Amino acid sequence: MLLPVRGKSIGLDKGKCDLPFLSHAHGDHTSGMKSKEKIISTEATLELARLKASAVSHPGTELLNAGHILGSTQLWAESDGYTTLYTGDFRVRDGIYTKGATPKEADRLIIECTYGDPSFSFPPLEETYSQISRWVKSNSNAILVFGAYNLGKAQELVKILNEYCGVSPIVAQESEHFNQVYEKHGVKLDRIVVGTEEAEEEMRGPFVAITTPRIAKRSFASKLSRAFNRPAYSALISGWVQKYRSNVDTGFPLSDHSDFNDILSYVDLVNPKEVVFVHGDGSHLMRALNKRKGTLFASLGGSSP
Ligand SMILES: [Zn+2]
């Protein structure tokens, strides 16, 4: 999607334009960014995404915290007296290392709706952190394998395990680039990298590991159980566990996005004349808002991790 602002066409998480805006470093938002020399973004986002571009600003625009992952921002822009807020992926609530998204009033709101179905209703984050902690502590003699995406969720989970359980988990090599950027920006992560001597030592006893959801299945836990001769269980960390759970022992509804009611409350805070839903199915939200306000709405397709 392109946004004309004071003589430039700004690409919203889209490289093909005069000047792209990159909201955060997840792969489905970085398309076409590699060849760019200048990107409206944060240093942390460019480092996480391994982009060489310079982080720049543009007249009439402002970056606002999005609360999604390290470095994530929204873009607020004013052009010809009309204001727009694009959220990118965003989380309304404060997380263990993130502040909730900062709203700003705008005429038009372009808002992410990955969890725009009313069946998604996430418990308070503190409650989910405590649930994870109870599960880890009640299985202290077992091997526990968490499935969490390498960027964002994995770092949130390391923090939870450090602070709520006193555990340093074993993490995948693939998450190390991201872990190091997080630490550079002040998020301390006590962890052990798989394949190191320290990890070998840790794996002589019960241990906690984080890998991707694709690997962290019950079948993988069974293999570990046979190899290390102790019980092993798997858990998925994702908002999607409220709808789907495949081949894992348990799941925790921890998401770095906003749920249905969070999205509606954010629309109220921005107080727009027009709302455009992106990255998900906005039809339920559109119906809910039209009933309340009779505002102008449009919906676009798309997906987001
Ligand atoms: Zn994302």
Side-chain angles (χ1 to χ4, degrees):
M1 200 170 184
L2 298 174
L3 184 67
V5 182
R6 304 194 191 182
K8 288 252 192 266
S9 158
I10 295 181
L12 303 179
D13 287 324
K14 186 182 167 69
K16 217 172 168 187
C17 61
D18 298 339
L19 179 61
F21 163 65
L22 177 59
S23 63
H24 67 291
H26 277 145
D28 60 334
H29 292 253
T30 58
S31 144
M33 300 282 176
K34 263 214 158 69
S35 58
K36 294 290 175 177
E37 287 177 3
K38 292 176 181 174
I39 299 177
I40 303 174
S41 194
T42 59
E43 294 289 350
T45 293
L46 298 181
E47 287 168 26
L48 287 168
R50 297 182 169 98
L51 292 169
K52 299 268 182 279
S54 310
V56 296
S57 57
H58 181 66
T61 66
E62 185 182 339
L63 297 184
L64 297 162
N65 171 43
H68 177 56
I69 63 169
L70 180 75
S72 64
T73 62
Q74 311 166 84
L75 181 79
W76 184 91
E78 188 275 318
S79 194
D80 298 327
Y82 196 79
T83 54
T84 300
L85 179 67
Y86 167 59
T87 62
D89 289 355
F90 78 113
R91 180 161 73 181
V92 167
R93 307 175 192 186
D94 290 344
I96 200 164
Y97 72 84
T98 46
K99 276 287 193 201
T102 308
K104 179 162 176 160
E105 288 206 3
D107 298 314
R108 178 169 58 159
L109 172 62
I110 304 170
I111 188 166
E112 176 249 329
C113 60
T114 301
Y115 292 104
D117 186 306
S119 60
F120 290 109
S121 174
F122 303 143
L125 285 168
E126 273 291 323
E127 199 177 305
T128 307
Y129 295 166
S130 299
Q131 273 179 8
I132 293 170
S133 164
R134 279 196 297 277
W135 188 68
V136 170
K137 287 175 181 167
S138 64
N139 288 296
S140 58
N141 284 317
I143 296 164
L144 301 179
V145 186
F146 285 97
Y149 290 110
N150 280 330
L151 171 54
K153 202 64 68 59
Q155 290 74 31
E156 189 167 14
L157 185 56
V158 172
K159 268 297 220 206
I160 297 164
L161 293 167
N162 291 167
E163 293 185 12
Y164 284 72
C165 314
V167 164
S168 294
I170 296 175
V171 300
Q173 287 280 2
E174 293 74 26
S175 69
E176 262 312 274
H177 164 70
F178 305 128
N179 296 335
Q180 286 164 12
V181 176
Y182 268 67
E183 289 218 306
K184 185 183 161 196
H185 289 269
V187 182
K188 185 160 168 36
L189 300 169
D190 287 324
R191 66 206 187 271
I192 301 166
V193 183
V194 74
T196 59
E197 265 179 40
E198 199 185 357
E200 299 279 312
E201 183 64 35
E202 181 75 8
M203 288 158 85
R204 293 210 172 100
F207 62 90
V208 179
I210 303 172
T211 181
T212 59
R214 194 171 52 80
I215 294 173
K217 302 285 189 188
R218 202 180 272 138
S219 48
F220 181 63
S222 300
K223 273 187 203 159
L224 289 174
S225 179
R226 284 195 296 276
F228 292 95
N229 200 25
R230 65 173 70 241
Y233 307 109
S234 60
L236 177 62
I237 302 282
S238 170
W240 294 109
V241 301
Q242 290 197 324
K243 251 192 169 173
Y244 315 101
R245 192 178 302 173
S246 61
N247 196 19
V248 285
D249 294 297
T250 191
F252 299 97
L254 177 63
S255 177
D256 39 25
H257 295 262
S258 302
D259 71 7
F260 183 81
N261 282 319
D262 288 342
I263 296 170
L264 285 180
S265 63
Y266 204 70
V267 173
D268 286 340
L269 292 170
V270 176
N271 194 25
K273 297 186 181 85
E274 181 191 357
V275 180
V276 180
F277 291 106
V278 291
H279 296 299
D281 174 7
S283 59
H284 295 283
L285 289 157
M286 230 162 57
R287 276 199 293 279
L289 286 176
N290 277 325
K291 253 186 227 162
R292 283 174 14 186
K293 288 185 172 172
T295 322
L296 269 177
F297 297 105
S299 185
L300 301 173
S303 64
S304 178

